[in-house]
Amino acid sequence: MQAKITIIGAGLTGLTLAYLLKRENFDFQILEARPRLGGRIFTKMSGNHIPIDLGAAWLWDYNPQMKSLLAELKLEIFPQIMGNTVWYQQ
């Protein structure tokens, strides 16, 4: 693939950049060292088949750019319950 723009890494930043470039019809390629996309965004199955999120699970209200991108992509935001107990959502 011949491209004028090369994105190094297919984590959250690389994938977001690719999305924005594609939206503007730029030619690009993504190079990723791992055999999967997502970078630190990764869900691992525990020994008893419960998914455990190992990355990028938090979003704060003072990040309007991220919230705007999630709305544009029609991705739902789940509020985190804060308190003295651990809360698990499957």
Side-chain angles (χ1 to χ4, degrees):
M1 173 181 188
Q2 292 290 330
K4 294 184 184 221
I5 300 170
T6 298
I7 301 168
I8 308 296
L12 183 58
T13 299
L15 293 174
T16 300
L17 179 58
Y19 170 75
L20 296 173
L21 289 170
K22 182 162 181 69
R23 190 171 70 179
E24 299 296 324
N25 294 316
F26 281 94
D27 186 27
F28 65 91
Q29 66 179 350
I30 301 175
L31 301 179
E32 172 57 51
R34 294 181 177 142
R36 63 173 182 81
L37 303 177
R40 290 188 297 167
I41 299 172
F42 182 63
T43 302
K44 182 176 180 170
M45 296 302 283
S46 70
N48 55 356
H49 304 288
I50 295 174
I52 306 295
D53 183 17
L54 300 177
W58 296 90
L59 173 67
W60 290 268
D61 286 333
Y62 59 80
N63 192 331
Q65 293 89 358
M66 178 61 79
K67 291 178 84 173
S68 175
L69 178 61
L70 291 173
E72 184 176 327
L73 295 173
K74 297 180 175 80
L75 295 173
E76 192 173 353
I77 298 173
F78 296 94
Q80 176 67 43
I81 296 176
M82 304 297 283
N84 296 328
T85 59
V86 175
W87 185 70
Y88 169 76
Q89 178 178 355
Q90 189 169 11

